[in-house]
Amino acid sequence: MNELLLRSLTPSVLGILVRRGADFAAAEDAVQDALVEAVRVWPADPPRDPKGWLVTVAWRRFLDATRADAARRRREDRVDEEPPPGPSPAADDTLQLYFLCAHPSLTPSSAVALTLRAVGGLTTRQIAQAYLVPEATMAQRISRAKRTVSGVRFDQPGDVATVLRVLYLVFNEGYSGDVDLAAEAIRLTRQLAAAIDHPEVAGLLALMLLHHARRAARTAPDGSLVPLAEQDRGRWDTESIAEGVEILQAALARDRLGEFQAQAAIAALHADAPTAEETDWVQIAEWYDELARLTDSPVVRLNRAVAVGEADGPRAGLAALAALEDSLPRHAAVAAYLHERDGDLATAARLYAEAAQKAPNLAERDHLTRQAARLNARRCH
């Protein structure tokens, strides 16, 4: 069973059902049912037209659910509109669906969560981790969003800012390596940049390109994480870096700074440094100041503490870190790094071990565990 094929077909099938008159929540449920049926049937009897098969099965499931609901009996006459077997249109509806999910009846956070679940293909757990909330809380948020848009006609697409937030989170999940969605997020952001003259769209595209340029160097052959300072910069994609910097410079020249442009500027400074030791941490810390002003995000302030620690010394970084809640994800990892820089190996080793227990994925947990073991070994000698 080709999971990536199913994931790639989902947005288009969902778009076809919505255009045929299905409300989004019911269409999303029907498509999920069709995917489950595909997992069961395809290994033994693969269809010649996977997309057409999914459309037909999903539409039938939608009609079955409609008949079962007395309040929606008026939709039963659509049974004659069932799409015939055979090839389906090749139009790419994904970006349109991103805008439709950003519906004005939803709050931005609910719209993002719904889109990530229904169109982006992320699990509820992955979305919860991106939002820094418990999985149960995110499940309730997504359920409320589905109820809100149930029966709503999607003729009022949402705003660009919400769509950018979704694309950013999809890219981040893909970039982590858990789900390979990074290239798809870049493709959709390119489409959006070609359609809309907006500096933050350009900023997001530049940010994605600059981060994606480092992807090959982020992991060792055994799958373990390689920190930025230890990466082989010869493996970075210089063409993507050059394109990202060019796009960013054009966006910044318009003097309409936004958070994605500021993040891209930080990524560009890392990409511009020939070695880790030559990184311009002073400028990076200044850009984090701008980013904190734009977002007031605790995650931004956590990253800023690292930059301050590099620019002004580890004790300055620890002072910046002291202003943040220690319950913040990756707080212990940052504290461990700064304490190690300050020479307090015992505290650093303890904090690395603590951070490993809270790590959101196996690769990060293993990396932090190795850091703790490395420092404990140094202390023993």
Side-chain angles (χ1 to χ4, degrees):
M1 172 54 55
N2 192 329
E3 181 181 348
L4 288 178
L5 173 62
L6 288 176
R7 190 184 301 281
S8 68
L9 291 174
T10 298
S12 185
V13 174
L14 184 56
I16 290 171
L17 265 64
V18 170
R19 288 201 305 274
R20 288 182 175 274
D23 67 73
F24 187 87
E28 200 265 339
D29 289 340
V31 172
Q32 293 299 322
D33 287 345
L35 294 176
V36 171
E37 184 69 6
V39 171
R40 186 183 71 83
V41 172
W42 286 11
D45 185 20
R48 282 180 292 182
D49 177 18
K51 182 177 175 182
W53 189 98
L54 286 172
V55 169
T56 300
V57 173
W59 184 253
R60 286 173 177 165
R61 294 300 173 92
F62 165 70
L63 291 176
D64 288 345
T66 298
R67 294 190 194 98
D69 187 347
R72 299 178 183 178
R73 290 187 181 277
R74 63 185 180 276
R75 297 182 183 175
E76 289 186 350
D77 57 2
R78 293 179 183 165
V79 68
D80 294 332
E81 299 176 15
E82 178 180 326
S88 298
D92 185 354
D93 301 303
T94 308
L95 192 56
Q96 180 187 12
L97 283 171
Y98 273 66
F99 274 94
L100 294 179
C101 286
H103 197 273
S105 63
L106 295 173
T107 64
S109 60
S110 294
V112 172
L114 178 62
T115 313
L116 290 171
R117 182 69 186 91
V119 188
L122 274 63
T123 66
T124 302
R125 174 173 294 180
Q126 289 166 333
I127 302 168
Q129 290 174 349
Y131 268 93
L132 310 179
V133 300
E135 184 176 354
T137 300
M138 183 53 64
Q140 292 175 354
R141 184 179 300 177
I142 294 172
S143 294
R144 284 196 300 269
K146 286 184 178 181
R147 289 195 299 270
T148 299
V149 300
S150 180
V152 171
R153 297 294 299 179
F154 284 81
D155 55 359
Q156 292 180 281
D159 65 358
V160 175
T162 301
V163 173
L164 290 179
R165 179 63 51 195
V166 178
L167 289 168
Y168 178 56
L169 291 175
V170 170
F171 175 81
N172 279 343
E173 193 58 48
Y175 192 60
S176 74
D178 296 330
V179 181
D180 191 8
L181 294 172
E184 173 69 358
I186 291 174
R187 184 183 71 84
L188 293 173
T189 307
R190 283 192 188 279
Q191 286 187 10
L192 189 58
I196 299 176
D197 184 18
H198 192 298
E200 272 294 83
V201 176
L204 178 58
L205 178 56
L207 175 63
M208 289 180 175
L209 291 169
L210 288 163
H211 278 314
H212 204 59
R214 302 199 302 259
R215 188 171 188 181
R218 292 184 72 246
T219 54
D222 62 0
S224 60
L225 291 180
V226 180
L228 177 61
E230 300 172 19
Q231 289 177 15
D232 178 0
R233 299 185 178 218
R235 299 184 65 195
W236 289 1
D237 183 348
T238 55
E239 289 186 7
S240 291
I241 291 173
E243 182 185 4
V245 169
E246 182 179 359
I247 292 171
L248 173 62
Q249 288 174 338
L252 291 175
R254 301 178 64 175
D255 199 23
R256 290 169 54 193
L257 184 64
E259 61 174 295
F260 293 120
Q261 295 169 73
Q263 288 188 61
I266 293 169
L269 286 166
H270 281 298
D272 187 55
T275 65
E277 293 72 24
E278 295 174 85
T279 303
D280 190 342
W281 285 106
V282 173
Q283 272 205 70
I284 289 175
E286 291 173 352
W287 274 111
Y288 271 119
D289 288 339
E290 287 287 344
L291 191 54
R293 179 182 61 80
L294 289 166
T295 66
D296 195 30
S297 164
V299 175
V300 168
R301 296 187 184 280
L302 184 68
N303 291 328
R304 175 185 175 274
V306 176
V308 169
E310 297 287 359
D312 300 328
R315 295 195 179 182
L318 288 168
L321 188 65
L324 301 173
E325 295 288 338
D326 59 11
S327 59
L328 191 65
R330 296 187 172 89
H331 185 284
V334 170
Y337 175 75
L338 291 171
H339 276 291
E340 180 183 357
R341 289 277 320 281
D342 196 38
D344 187 350
L345 302 189
T347 299
R350 175 179 59 79
L351 288 169
Y352 275 130
E354 178 184 323
Q357 294 177 351
K358 301 176 181 178
N361 56 66
L362 182 61
E364 189 169 335
R365 186 187 72 186
D366 289 346
H367 170 71
L368 293 168
T369 300
R370 285 194 295 270
Q371 294 294 84
R374 174 179 58 81
L375 293 188
N376 283 327
R378 283 179 59 186
R379 291 172 57 215
C380 290
H381 291 85

